[in-house]
């Protein structure tokens, strides 16, 4: 239990809505440990009776508020208090049913107490709703406090190079105030020579102050960036939450209200695919099954029925069926909210708790104080954990939970690695610079000039050494590309913001950039490629095939009546056709689109469905078998006036026709329907419809006599022996913009595959219309069964080799189950046939698409048609459900990649030049031609400003004309390397010419070998100015990285770029003309300025020269910035699988790693022992769920970021995966010494994803997880 809380406490960063996804079985089981475990009547729960015995080891204690309940069982005039409802929701199954009957009579009694009507719902009255919110709370769980700006500033100050600079600046400041006695100055060498003019010696402090000022600038800019990123992210989060709506009945009308607006007493409609936003009691349900694994850890679906188990809990997923519930608890009082409160929805509680220690008066924390005043809620107080071991565990879990907050991706991995390499090189260069300067000074002063070190000269000498040290640090500052992470952040944040306009709501930042590398898209058909506005265009009624909607007069009244009843009753009552909003528009379709098409068909036959529904309301339906992907049909049973039953069924024609034994002839009389007739019908009616791209639906019925009631649970028996009424062909036209979008994808090297549940002929026809398949090409169109037959061996196991023969040519997968979709996606991702690993994007809308969406590199969920479960599992939500938005996402993804490359090309040119100039200058003239403050300014231009300018380039269509880069393409291509080195040569030539012969050319004093504190020289100012001018013009060159000639193309479409270039130029003029001593600048004349500009513009000309040299001739150039390959997975990376980004800041040395590994191993063993103990005593896990310790280690259920078990797979893929896992080499067990070697082999041997991806995006299935868990 203690571990359970600790685990949960690390979840705080998650927004309330997504809590359930992350609360694994352990945590969520806290408040209801005893669920589903007891046979027979259970004792009432400890927190109701106040008994503490059962929970002695728990760190939570509940105190019923003394006497407060007495004062009014009718809080605010309602018949139930908050505490009553809360204790009611703690019960399950028969126990809950009994409690409802004892306390309220039945559910409608509860509704009366809550002053609501089970059919009409609440009155839509603002005062009443507000009153309910005051008494029972709002449906909102307060999020964690964001970091303040000052905290972000403090974090930015932690940068090592900045700290070194600050120290150096402070030392320099301190020394500048120490003036050595005048008369000795001669004795100390040429220290103060020239310092007397203008009394400049007093201005020695300026340099230190200027460095501090520039450090402040850098820190503020970084903090501001972090702050705005955090703010954007919260905005995005709240937008996702606002988009979440739920169906409630108010005033008898079905409304979609935002989840936060739900109140206690609302009557909510629940249906397949919903994520329940509040706790409630079921009033009426059809075949309702709920996945409660997010709260209880039980993966089996729980059947819910008003007479068996009516309790519905927030955060659980509806997997099947539909129903209505009355909301009984919202927000912090719902089951999810209670867990959240236990976790303390923010750090403040932790602190308060520490102060309070074990006081037990505990009113709930801030989020609840308001609710507190009105109700007699069960007061809760979390106490510091009792056992030391538990405390340590909680701490560790907390740390572990805070790690995955940093989302990282392939790109960030490559960048981190590159930054580390550059940083190391810079460190070496700066160290050498300092050593050479010190040696040179010491030898010249004490050996050549033969001086003696005098005590009074010490401060002067120390000042020299400080100056050398500052120069060294400056070289390091310029060398370390701290702008890289900034560029990625800006680029991603900018893209995410713009993608919102293109109907892509990005939930995971890295998905945006992964999309640029996508090589395959597996798309749904309905609603993505098609308009999802369905209409019946052909029908087969009474032995006649109608090519358009028949006139009602031509049909037999019996058939027509049966058809109207079959469609009106056997479809969700939430599905309706409403009048159009605007004059002349199409009628509005609400609910399931296929059902809308059938209802529309009734209206076209001049009949109405509403009177039938009023005559037989939803409560009177006797039994409903709701649609799911296994049945592929839906059936409803009603009771006939004579006491018999009638079953209506509709579903995929080839499936239902197999169950039909009769059909209706033209007069509406029964006629036998033999298998031979069925084959005839398929050939003559169904296949021609399907070849026109129509979806065929069969509508049938069956009568049961009153004598004996059938066994409704025996579904195959009940839904059989049917009579076919009609077969209809439903058209769902292809979206007009889709064929063009698919053509763009194919041109960009992306294969589009269609995965659909439809008939193969329908699917093939639509695929041809979309341009997914072209006549004469070599492609495969398979049905799910055939697909499975081809990829499974005799034992029924999936074999990757077989899959590799199928997927490259597969374009259409029809009649596929969600499991097939998952198998296909997994197969393509795991395949190693091509020259690079496939990056797969998947679209999905149904609950059962969850596993495929999670498995894919990028999962797209439908914003309109998608269920909550699909949105939970996705990376990007398509707000308009349109395939063209996916193409936009590809464009943005590629643009992010290119923006980073542009920035790198610019940054590295500056780095190379600045480091070499500072280094050689220091060695030859004992003084860097570029001063510390100037270097910091250059650093600001090239890091912060350039990353802003180059990372915000808008995408162009030309991005879609090239093939995807793939995972292992280096960041710096040969062309970029050519540009970097080419421009560096030009810049170095210019600067060294100016340094050594500049004074002759401009006829000015030489600035070389100037003494300490001498005034700034024109000579060095010209060098600095020329350097900056060259960078500015090179920034324009950096806009193109593929060797294009026109570097100005589209420059005005990016106002940020223009602003930054012109702004930098303006500031540069101010610095040079008025910077004076702090910037070591002396004002220049117009002629000198023109020369500087002339040299700068030379960059553009030189760029054209470089572009003429063909890259293919330069074999000697190396590429750089690869992702770590499979064989170079270093120990450090394994040890820090999670914390890849921090890798740059602290590359752990080997000894440390061994030490960490030892610690981790002990911790893992403790965790294993604990988990086993808890599973033995508390029965938290089913014993068979972990077969061996190996599996225990390999199943990362103890890592917070593994969510797979929330959405169980249908069929037997689970079994296959487990078998595969068992067949794979076992992960290193906790008592092996050669852990790293072991895991390395394990990684390459079992290529679930390429090593790159597994390091940078630990996914539940990647073997890296098992390595992490065991390390």
């Amino acid at each position: 239990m203690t571990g359970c809380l600790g685990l949960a406490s690390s979840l705080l960063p998650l927004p309330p809505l997504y809590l359930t996804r992350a609360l694994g079985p352990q945590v969520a089981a806290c408040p209801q440990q005893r669920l589903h475990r007891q046979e027979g009547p259970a004792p009432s729960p400890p927190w109701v009776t106040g008994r503490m015995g059962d929970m002695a080891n728990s760190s939570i204690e509940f105190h019923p508020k003394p006497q407060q309940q007495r004062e009014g069982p009718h809080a605010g005039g309602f018949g139930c208090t908050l505490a009553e409802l809360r204790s009611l929701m703690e019960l399950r199954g028969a126990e809950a049913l009994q409690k409802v009957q004892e306390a309220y009579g039945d559910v409608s009694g509860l509704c009366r107490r809550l002053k609501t009507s089970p059919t009409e719902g609440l009155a839509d009255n603002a005062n009443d709703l507000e009153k309910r919110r005051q008494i029972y709370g709002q449906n909102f769980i307060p999020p964690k406090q964001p970091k303040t700006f000052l905290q972000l500033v403090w974090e930015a100050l932690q940068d090592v190079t900045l700290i070194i600079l600050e120290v150096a600046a402070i030392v320099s400041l301190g020394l500048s105030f120490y003036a050595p006695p005048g008369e000795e100055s001669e004795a100390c060498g040429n220290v103060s020579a020239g310092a007397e003019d203008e009394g400049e010696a007093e201005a020695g402090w300026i340099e230190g102050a200027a460095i501090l000022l520039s450090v402040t600038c850098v820190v503020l800019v970084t903090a501001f960036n972090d702050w705005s990123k955090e703010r954007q992210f919260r905005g995005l989060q709240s937008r996702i939450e606002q988009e979440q709506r739920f169906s409630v009945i108010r005033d008898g009308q079905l409304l979609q209200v935002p989840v936060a607006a739900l109140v206690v007493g609302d009557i909510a409609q629940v249906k397949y695919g919903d994520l329940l936003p509040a706790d409630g009691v079921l009033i009426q349900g059809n075949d309702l099954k709920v996945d409660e694994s997010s709260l209880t850890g039980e993966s089996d679906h729980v059947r819910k029925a008003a007479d068996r188990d009516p309790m519905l809990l927030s955060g659980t997923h509806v997997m099947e069926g539909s129903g209505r519930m009355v909301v009984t608890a919202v927000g912090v009082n719902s089951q999810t909210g209670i867990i959240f409160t236990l976790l303390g929805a923010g750090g403040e509680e932790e602190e308060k708790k520490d102060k309070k220690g074990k006081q037990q008066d505990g009113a709930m924390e801030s989020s609840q104080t308001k609710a507190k005043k009105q109700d007699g809620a069960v007061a809760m107080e979390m106490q510091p954990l009792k056992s030391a071991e538990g405390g340590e565990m909680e701490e560790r879990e907390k740390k572990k939970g805070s790690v995955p907050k940093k989302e990282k991706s392939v790109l960030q991995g490559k960048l981190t690695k590159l930054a580390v390499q550059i940083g190391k090189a810079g460190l070496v260069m700066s160290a050498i610079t300092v050593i050479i300067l010190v040696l040179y000074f010491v030898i010249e002063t004490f050996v050549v000039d033969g001086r003696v070190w005098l005590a009074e000269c010490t401060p002067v000498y120390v000042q020299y050494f400080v100056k050398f040290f500052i120069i060294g640090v400056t070289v390091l500052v310029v060398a370390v590309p701290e702008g890289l992470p900034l560029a990625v952040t800006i680029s991603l944040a900018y893209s995410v913001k713009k993608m919102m306009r293109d109907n892509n709501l990005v939930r995971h930042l890295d998905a945006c950039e992964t999309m640029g590398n996508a090589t395959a898209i597996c798309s749904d058909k309905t609603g993505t490629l098609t308009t999802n506005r369905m209409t019946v265009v052909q029908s087969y009624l009474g032995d006649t095939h109608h090519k358009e909607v028949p006139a009602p007069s031509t049909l037999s009244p019996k058939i027509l009546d049966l058809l109207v009843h079959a469609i009106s009753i056997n479809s969700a009552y939430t599905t309706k056709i409403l009048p159009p909003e605007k004059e002349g528009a199409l009628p509005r379709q609400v609910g399931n689109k296929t059902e809308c098409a059938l209802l529309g068909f009734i209206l076209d036959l001049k009949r109405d469905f509403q009177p039938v529904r009023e005559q037989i309301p939803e409560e009177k339906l006797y039994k409903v078998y709701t649609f799911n992907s296994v049945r592929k049909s839906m059936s409803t049973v009603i009771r006939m006036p004579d006491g018999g039953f009638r079953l209506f069924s509709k579903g995929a024609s080839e499936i239902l026709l197999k169950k039909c034994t009769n059909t209706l002839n033209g007069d509406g009389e029964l006629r036998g329907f033999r298998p031979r007739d069925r084959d005839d019908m398929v050939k003559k009616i169904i296949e021609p419809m399907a070849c026109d791209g129509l979806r065929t639906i069969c509508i049938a019925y069956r009568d049961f006599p009153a004598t004996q009631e059938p066994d409704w649970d025996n579904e195959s028996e009940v839904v059989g022996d049917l009579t076919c009424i009609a077969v209809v062909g439903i058209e769902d036209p292809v979206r007009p913009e889709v064929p063009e979008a698919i053509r763009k994808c194919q041109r960009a090297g992306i294969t589009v595959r269609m995965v659909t549940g439809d008939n193969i002929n329908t699917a093939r026809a639509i695929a041809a219309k979309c341009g997914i398949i072209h006549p004469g090409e070599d492609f495969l169109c398979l049905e799910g069964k055939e697909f499975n037959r081809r990829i499974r061996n005799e034992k029924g196991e999936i074999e990757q080799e077989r899959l590799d023969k199928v997927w490259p040519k597969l374009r259409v997968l029809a009649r596929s189950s969600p499991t097939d979709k998952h198998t296909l996606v997994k197969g393509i991702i795991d395949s190693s046939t091509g020259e690079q690993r496939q990056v797969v994007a998947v679209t999905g809308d149904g609950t059962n698409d969850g596993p495929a969406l999670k498995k894919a590199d990028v999962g797209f969920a439908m914003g309109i048609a998608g269920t909550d479960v699909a949105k939970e599992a996705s990376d990007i939500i398509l707000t308009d459900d349109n395939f063209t938005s996916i193409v936009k996402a590809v464009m943005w993804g590629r643009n992010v990649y290119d923006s980073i490359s542009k920035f790198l090309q610019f940054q590295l040119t500056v780095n190379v030049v600045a480091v070499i100039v500072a280094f050689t200058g220091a060695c030859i003239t004992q003084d860097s031609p570029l001063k510390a403050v100037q270097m910091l300014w250059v650093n600001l231009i090239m890091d912060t400003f350039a990353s802003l300018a180059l990372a915000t380039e808008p995408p162009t269509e030309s991005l879609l004309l090239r093939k995807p880069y793939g995972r292992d393409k280096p960041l710096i291509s040969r062309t970029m390397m050519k540009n970097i080195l080419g421009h560096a040569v030009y810049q170095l030539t210019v600067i060294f010419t100016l340094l050594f012969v500049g004074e002759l050319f401009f006829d000015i004093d030489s600035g070389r070998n100037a003494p300490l504190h001498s005034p700034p020289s024109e000579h060095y100012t010209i060098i600095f100015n020329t350097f900056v001018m060259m960078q500015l013009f090179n920034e324009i060159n950096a806009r193109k990285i593929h060797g294009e000639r026109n570097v100005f193309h589209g420059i005005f479409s990016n106002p940020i770029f223009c602003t930054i270039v012109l702004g930098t130029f303006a500031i540069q003029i101010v610095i040079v003309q008025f910077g004076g001593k702090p910037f070591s600048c002396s004002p220049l004349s117009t002629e000198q300025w023109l020369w500087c500009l002339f040299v700068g513009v030379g960059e553009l000309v030189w760029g054209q020269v470089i572009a003429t040299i063909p890259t293919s001739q330069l074999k000697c150039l190396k590429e750089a910035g690869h992702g770590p390959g499979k064989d170079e997975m270093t120990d450090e990376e394994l040890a820090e699988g999670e914390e890849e980004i921090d890798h740059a800041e602290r590359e752990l040395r080997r000894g440390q790693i061994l030490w960490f590994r030892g610690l981790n191993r002990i911790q893992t063993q403790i965790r294993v022992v604990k988990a086993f103990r808890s599973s033995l005593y508390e029965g938290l896990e089913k014993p068979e769920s972990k077969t061996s310790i190996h599996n225990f280690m390999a199943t990362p259920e103890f890592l917070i970021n593994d969510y797979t078990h929330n959405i169980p797979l249908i069929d037997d893929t689970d079994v296959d995966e487990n078998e595969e896992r068992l067949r794979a080499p076992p992960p290193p067990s906790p008592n092996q010494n050669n852990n790293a070697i072991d895991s390395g082999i394990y990684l390459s041997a079992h290529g679930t994803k390429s090593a790159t991806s597994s390091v940078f995006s630990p996914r539940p299935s990647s073997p890296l997880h098992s390595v992490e868990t065991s390390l």
Side-chain angles (χ1 to χ4, degrees), residues 1-9 26-33 45-48 50-64 86 90 335 337-344 350 353 357-360 362-365 368 378-387 394 1178:
M1 187 71 179
T2 44
C4 156
L5 273 175
L7 179 78
S9 68
Q26 302 349 337
V27 187
C30 295
Q32 311 106 317
Q33 277 181 339
W47 43 81
V48 176
R51 253 186 315 112
M52 281 300 168
D54 327 22
M55 299 191 65
N57 70 341
S58 149
S59 56
I60 312 140
E61 304 197 353
F62 294 79
H63 308 275
R86 241 167 98 151
E90 309 286 5
Q335 293 303 306
I338 289 174
I339 294 171
F340 242 100
T341 318
L342 296 186
L343 306 183
E350 298 292 315
K353 201 176 63 188
K358 295 189 184 177
Q359 291 174 354
Q360 301 209 349
M364 280 181 237
E365 306 303 349
Q368 277 161 294
V378 185
M380 294 186 297
E381 167 70 3
M382 278 192 58
Q383 294 175 354
L385 291 163
K386 311 229 165 53
S387 69
E394 183 179 30
E1178 285 152 21

Side-chain angles (χ1 to χ4, degrees), residues 381-506:
E381 167 70 3
M382 278 192 58
Q383 294 175 354
L385 291 163
K386 311 229 165 53
S387 69
E389 188 181 55
E392 165 196 290
M393 177 120 174
E394 183 179 30
E395 280 306 300
R396 189 168 67 245
E397 293 290 11
K398 231 185 250 166
K399 283 193 194 98
K400 202 170 76 184
S402 60
V403 173
K405 263 197 297 193
K406 288 185 176 169
E407 292 180 335
K408 64 200 163 310
S409 53
V410 186
L411 180 63
Q412 282 173 315
K414 291 179 182 176
L415 283 177
T416 304
K417 201 165 173 232
L418 192 67
V420 170
Q421 290 165 344
I422 298 174
K424 282 180 179 167
L427 196 64
V428 172
M429 290 291 274
S430 62
I432 297 176
T433 313
V434 174
I435 293 168
I436 289 181
L437 284 171
V438 170
L439 285 177
Y440 198 105
F441 172 77
V442 169
I443 291 170
E444 188 178 44
T445 312
F446 299 120
V447 180
V448 181
D449 293 359
R451 293 180 190 281
V452 193
W453 184 301
L454 299 171
E456 58 269 28
C457 289
T458 305
V460 182
Y461 294 144
V462 170
Q463 239 172 320
Y464 261 108
F465 290 143
V466 169
K467 179 180 155 188
F468 299 150
F469 180 62
I470 289 179
I471 292 172
V473 174
T474 318
V475 173
L476 178 65
V477 170
V478 176
V480 174
E482 62 271 39
L484 274 184
L486 186 66
V488 182
T489 308
I490 291 178
S491 188
L492 284 175
Y494 172 75
S495 303
V496 166
K497 209 169 174 178
K498 293 283 192 224
M499 281 170 82
M500 294 277 280
R501 295 184 193 166
D502 286 340
N503 302 309
N504 283 298
L505 182 66
V506 182

Side-chain angles (χ1 to χ4, degrees), residues 704-782:
F704 295 96
T707 49
Q708 177 195 355
E709 185 170 340
D711 170 17
W712 299 116
D713 286 340
N714 184 356
E715 191 185 330
S716 52
E717 190 63 40
V718 174
V719 186
D721 196 13
L722 304 171
T723 304
C724 170
I725 306 172
V727 172
V728 294
I730 295 179
E731 180 187 43
D732 185 7
V734 171
R735 287 178 181 261
E737 64 275 22
V738 162
E740 173 57 23
I742 287 182
R743 206 160 45 249
K744 282 182 185 167
C745 279
Q746 288 162 342
R747 204 170 50 217
I750 300 169
T751 313
V752 182
R753 294 181 175 81
M754 182 162 106
V755 183
T756 174
D758 252 346
N759 172 318
I760 181 110
N761 296 326
T762 312
R764 193 185 281 119
I766 300 265
K769 283 184 191 168
C770 293
I772 291 177
I773 55 180
H774 301 285
E777 277 185 356
D778 182 17
F779 58 80
L780 280 175
C781 293
L782 296 179

Side-chain angles (χ1 to χ4, degrees), residues 1125-1135 1150 1157 1225-1229 1232-1252 1254-1255 1263-1268 1270-1271:
K1126 284 192 184 183
D1127 28 1
E1128 0 164 343
M1129 295 279 304
T1130 57
D1131 292 343
E1132 286 105 282
E1133 279 165 325
L1134 279 175
R1150 223 188 139 71
R1157 196 171 295 144
S1229 63
Q1232 282 176 325
N1233 262 336
N1234 47 359
N1235 215 324
I1237 309 157
D1238 231 288
S1239 28
I1241 297 168
Y1242 178 51
L1243 263 174
S1244 359
H1246 185 70
T1248 313
K1249 290 199 170 180
S1250 77
T1252 342
S1254 54
V1255 173
L1264 192 81
H1265 266 290
S1266 33
V1267 177
E1268 273 163 21
S1270 58
L1271 279 179

Side-chain angles (χ1 to χ4, degrees), residues 1074-1113:
F1074 309 105
K1077 180 73 184 169
F1079 280 96
S1080 317
C1081 287
S1082 107
L1084 300 180
S1085 67
T1086 319
E1087 186 194 358
Q1088 290 164 334
W1089 263 101
L1090 288 174
W1091 274 108
C1092 293
L1093 266 176
F1094 170 73
V1095 175
V1097 176
E1099 267 288 359
L1100 296 174
V1101 182
W1102 183 248
Q1104 296 302 313
V1105 176
I1106 295 179
T1108 330
I1109 307 169
T1111 313
S1112 49
Q1113 301 297 308

